[in-house]
Structure formats: C-alpha cells, structure tokens
Amino acid sequence: MSALRILVPVKRVIDYAVKPRVNKAQTAVETAGVKHSMNPFDELSIEESVRIREKKSFAGGVDSIIAFSCGPPKAQDVLRTAMAMGADRSIHVEVKDGEEVEPLGIAKLLKAVVEKENINMVMCGKQAIDGDEGQTGQMLAGLLGWGQATQASKVSFEGDKGVVVEKEVDGGTEIVKSQLPIVITTDLRLNEPRYASLPNIMKAKKKKIDKMTAEDLGVDLKRRLKTIKVIEPPPRQGGGKVEDVDGMIAKLKELGAL
Amino acid sequence: MIPRSTISVLRQARTQLRPRGPTSVPSFSALSRLLSSLAVLEQRDGKLNHGSLGAVTAAQKLGGSITGFVAGGNIKAVAEEAAKVSGIEKIVAVDNAAYDKGLPENFALLLVENIKKGGFTHVIVGHTAFGKSLMPRVAALLDVQQISDITAIENENTFVRPIYAGNAIATVESSDDIKLITIRGTAFAAAEAEGGSASIEDGVDPKAESTTEWVGENLAKSDRPDLATAGKVVSGGRGLKSKEEFDRIMLPLADALGAAVGASRAAVDSGYADNSLQVGQTGKVVAPQLYLCAGISGAIQHLAGMKDSKVIAAINKDPDAPIFQVADVGLVGDLFDKVPELTEKLKQQ
C-alpha cells in the first residue's frame, strides 16, 4: 500500500474582493499595486489535502503535500501561504512579470512535476478567478491518462486505492468512483480553508521552495492564444429608485419586464 | 495526424482568400466550404438536451458545414431528434451505453477519434458541467489551447470571453489548427429543434475503458422553470435569514411571476437554498428578461452571474447596497414587508 503524494497547484491572482480595472491601453487588467492573494479554489485544495493527512482518511496515509506555482517571483508569497497552511514544500516555476502562461502550458509543467516527484494525487482548484478558464486539472488528467473528478464537494476513500468523489453538476451533485492516481478539482463547498497561524507562518519560512524553469522541465510555454484587446464591460445604468411597491410594478411594466 | 495536415492546407487556401484586417461574419460564406464545425450535443436518458443546441447556433455564426455529435446507449432516437435540428447537415452517432453518463475519461478519447476522422476545424460544446469536464481533456489530447465560455464570435479564429468574473471582456485570437470552444449558454440561444433533415451516420468508437465509474446522482427536483434558461428569475440572499423564510417569502413570488428561483452564495452557504440555485461566478450565469432580487447586496461575484439580465429589480433595506448601482428599478425597504406585498399585488393583476 502506497501513501499519498499530493501535488497542489496554487495560483497568485488579484484578490477576489478587488474590482479589477482594465488598463488604458486596453491590453490587460491593471495588476501593478493591486492586492494579490491565493486563488480561493486553491486554498480549498490545500485545506483538503491537509485534512486528508490530519483525519487519516486514507488508509495509506499522506507521505507529502507539495505546493506548486508557476508565476513571477511574487508567486512565492502564495507558496509560503500554502506551506503555512500545511504543505511540506514547494516548487516554483518562475516566469517573467506579466507573462501569463496558458492552462495547456501549466498542465504540461504539472505533468513533468508529477512524473519527477512520483505524485499519485493532484488536488487542483476548479478555476482561477482571473482567467476563469477552468481547464488545467482536466488537461493534466488527459495528458497523464489519469481519472479525473471535477468540482468536488466531497472526497472520501475506499480501501487503499479507491477514491469516491461527490461532484457539483448542473442541477445537483453526481458521485463517481475511481482508482488512484487521480486528478481532483475542488469546488467551494468542499471545505472551509483555515487561516494560517502566526507560528505556522514562521515555520513556513523554513520550508523549502525548489526553483526551476520551464526549460528544466522540458516544457515549451509558447502561447496559442493572442489577446487582441481587453475592455471594460458596458456599464449598466442604475435606473434609480422607486418609493413603493406600486412604483416598482409600474416601472417594471414601463420597462416591459412584466 | 492526417486531418491536421489537411487542415493546414485548407488554412493556407483560406488565408489567401481572406482580406486583411477584421472581417465581418457574412464574408465567410464564400469560405464556408472549408470550415467545418462539430457541435457536441448532450443527451440524458435517451432524450436530446435542447439547452445544448446553443452549440449549433454558435456553429451557424461561424459559417461552414455543421455536424452534430451524440453518443450513448440506444442513441438512435436521440440522433433522429438531433437530425431535425435546423442547420445541421449531418449527425455522427455512436451507440454505446458506456457513454451515457458523459464520463470524460472515455468520452474524450471518443471525441478525439471522431474529430480526427471528420477533420473538423471547430469543435463546440456548451459551458455546462459536461462541457467543462470534457473539453479541456480533449484539448490536451489534441495539444490545443481551448477557449472557454465564449460570449461572441468575431471570426473563425477570434472569440470574445469574459474574464475576472465578467469585470473585463477579452478578445482572443487562436493560432491552433483546431478550435475547441465552450460557449456560454445565455449568449447563444438554442437552435430551432425543427426544420432540419440531417443524415445520420455511425461514428468511430475506440471503446476505451473509463477509469472512473458513475455511482449515482442527487438532482434537485423542481416544477419551476430551469434557472439557466428562465425568462424571469427571482433571487434571494442572506437578508432572508433562514430557509423557512426563504421558502415562505421567495417561492410565492416566483409562482406569481412564473419565474425560476435563484440565490446568492451567502444564502446557499447558510443553507437557505439548494446549491444548484446559486447565481454568480461560481454558480450559474443567467440573463433573463427580469431578474428580481431581494436581500442581496450585490457583490461582484454575484453580479458576474446576472448583470446581463435585461431588467434588474432589487429590494434591499440598505440604500447604499452595490446592487442599486446596477438595478434598473430599486426599492429601499424591508423585504419581509415589501416582497409579500409585491406578491399580492402581482397576483391581483
């Protein structure tokens, strides 16, 4: 029986509470001087991995939890957070500031790491809240030929290999059963991520971050999609307020909504 | 990789024909013979999911020939239903019960084989739970960067999609030979289910085993219209305070309007409403004629799911709630008074 070796990809994104602004040149969203934090779905992945270890829910135990991030030097901040939450060590694939790697490129990097580190479970967020693509986990599973369970709201184990995942689908949930190795993507209802405590933040500073490049892993990150432009969505005109319920009904009729 | 080379030859031919600069959709009609789209259609228990016909509409906007794809056990009836859909020339059907649940492990390989065989330039599926779990896997197997959740098509290579929870709109151009696209359902209406007469042929079936097994499902049953496609939606938030109040206040209003019921994440997390009712970045994206919400402050993650609604009406006791910045009709007041009053007055009409 082999223990779990979990890989958790995390992404540094603009904080979810910040309203993003498009830059003047309409080429991208303004990121300079904007608060960044760990992608919320990735926090769920770290939390779930740590809980599997703490609750001993997998009979073989958890051998290691490795956090991974591909991004600019500042991506190390989110790796430190991940380690303060309970990841054992980290891998950072550094790219230049402002260089955005596509999901397919990330999936290829992850595949190389999975093979290098002999990983048997990847716990991935269902999507990053900047690109909103929702592709990386599925792409990785495809490249590896592994099973996948997306938008997980519950993960449990059967014996020393079986994984049972409840997934969020349109209109409810669906349950699938698979064998290790597997790629799981996490959804909001999976758990409630912990806050990193101060002592753990201090301890995380001593944990190791392996730095490497895409070349080290033998991956070509050439982009396939070119961003032509980025614009603000057309603003909605707040139509002002009405005094009472009758006013509301009248206005809705006037607008043709009733 | 025979289809790949074929495509690149066609691609060269197309580049020569194409005028420089941005082109409008109609000018593609001359090139349409070279462009061929595969619309992946969903089925459930031997019935075609009409919501998935948005993929056909998107394919029509691209121009070119359109092939529909269906797979599952006893697929004949579904294929016949799909053959009647307006605009489709051919249906490729694979009859094998192993594909009934749309498990991506075997469905992705099935699709890859049929894409290669058909030499399609575009593959389109709805950005639904099925499309979301399946399409990236197909993309990885074909070594293509997928384009997710598009809301518009500028030309055969260029697509528009919202990013940052709809706070920005990006236009992206793909350099891949095959375009794999998932479409936002609210941006592409379903194609007409009648009027077509497509031929039906059997697709290739690689008969791959799935490494995952479908165990069961737990779907919320409702007699009200489907949230994602309803013309009217009433939605409640944390302001409802409990599940009992949510049901007592919101459901009669929904029935008075013939509307679907939605909820904010706060309401779902607090257990007031079922998870499947969540509207927002992480839930459903809706764009009804009327979106009427009560007790919802209007966080950006929620707005991402509803701000394309035609008319937005809001009832909230906080006059400074952000929801009033987007609402066409705002009423400041206690929802426990105002919503029942509204329900009564709507019923009398």
Side-chain angles (χ1 to χ4, degrees), chain A residues 168-185:
Chain A
E168 309 252 323
V169 295
D170 306 329
T173 61
E174 189 178 283
I175 298 157
V176 294
K177 204 154 108 179
S178 190
Q179 301 281 312
L180 290 172
I182 190 171
V183 177
I184 296 173
T185 76

Side-chain angles (χ1 to χ4, degrees), chain A residues 135 148 168 175 228 236 242, chain B residues 105 145 171 213 216 275 309 330:
Chain A
Q135 301 173 356
Q148 67 180 59
E168 309 252 323
I175 298 157
I228 310 279
R236 275 195 84 96
V242 292
Chain B
E105 288 84 355
Q145 175 54 54
T171 305
E213 181 193 337
N275 194 4
S309 306

Side-chain angles (χ1 to χ4, degrees), chain A residues 14 16-20 22 29 31 41 102-105 108 126-136 138-143 145-151 164 166-179 182 187-189 222-234 236-249 251-253 255-258, chain B residues 101 103-105 127-130 132-134 136-137 139-141 143-148 154 158 161-176 211-220 232 257 265 268-269 275-276 278 281-282 284 289-290 292 300-301 307-315 319-320 324-332 338 341-342 345-346 349:
Chain A
I14 292 183
Y16 75 93
V18 174
K19 187 174 160 58
V22 172
V29 163
T31 53
F41 296 104
E102 290 170 343
L104 185 61
K108 287 177 180 174
K126 77 162 177 177
Q127 75 189 64
I129 59 165
D130 50 0
D132 284 340
E133 269 147 324
Q135 301 173 356
T136 308
Q138 298 90 304
M139 284 183 158
L140 175 63
L143 292 176
W146 288 9
Q148 67 180 59
T150 48
Q151 299 187 224
V164 180
E166 189 163 346
K167 306 165 49 182
E168 309 252 323
V169 295
D170 306 329
T173 61
E174 189 178 283
I175 298 157
V176 294
K177 204 154 108 179
S178 190
Q179 301 281 312
I182 190 171
D187 209 336
L188 281 173
R189 256 146 297 275
K222 196 172 94 58
R223 287 185 67 89
R224 314 291 187 82
L225 299 183
K226 188 172 132 201
T227 303
I228 310 279
K229 67 173 176 192
V230 176
I231 56 167
E232 299 260 356
R236 275 195 84 96
Q237 295 288 328
K241 291 169 187 161
V242 292
E243 286 303 313
D244 51 22
V245 169
D246 291 320
M248 181 170 242
I249 292 173
K251 188 81 188 285
L252 288 176
K253 278 193 174 149
L255 293 166
L258 284 183
Chain B
K101 301 299 179 188
L103 293 169
E105 288 84 355
H127 194 68
T128 56
F130 169 75
K132 282 192 273 192
S133 78
L134 170 70
R137 196 170 173 113
L141 295 174
D143 195 30
V144 162
Q145 175 54 54
Q146 178 197 324
I147 309 140
S148 287
E154 292 223 328
T158 314
R161 57 181 303 269
I163 53 174
Y164 289 91
N167 281 292
I169 311 290
T171 305
V172 295
E173 185 182 56
S174 166
S175 58
D176 280 316
T211 47
T212 64
E213 181 193 337
W214 186 89
V215 180
E217 65 190 358
N218 186 3
L219 299 182
K232 289 174 187 158
L257 280 165
R265 185 180 163 201
V268 171
D269 280 352
N275 194 4
S276 59
Q278 186 185 324
Q281 184 188 18
T282 54
K284 289 226 168 48
Q289 287 289 320
L290 171 64
L292 204 170
I300 57 173
Q301 292 80 11
K307 68 185 164 52
D308 293 327
S309 306
K310 198 95 186 288
V311 175
I312 298 174
I315 300 176
D320 298 322
F324 288 123
Q325 290 164 21
V326 300
D328 301 286
V329 190
L331 176 59
V332 179
K338 302 295 179 192
E341 187 187 340
L342 180 63
K345 287 187 170 155
L346 286 170
Q349 297 190 356

Side-chain angles (χ1 to χ4, degrees), chain B residues 239-267:
Chain B
L240 269 310
K241 293 203 169 67
S242 71
K243 178 168 170 42
E244 290 66 40
E245 294 292 299
F246 189 99
D247 291 351
R248 186 177 68 84
I249 302 274
M250 298 309 291
L251 301 189
L253 176 64
D255 292 336
L257 280 165
V261 179
S264 71
R265 185 180 163 201

Side-chain angles (χ1 to χ4, degrees), chain B residues 68-87:
Chain B
F69 183 87
V70 288
N74 297 320
I75 202 69
K76 199 159 170 283
V78 181
E80 279 167 6
E81 208 183 336
K84 293 199 194 95
V85 174
S86 171

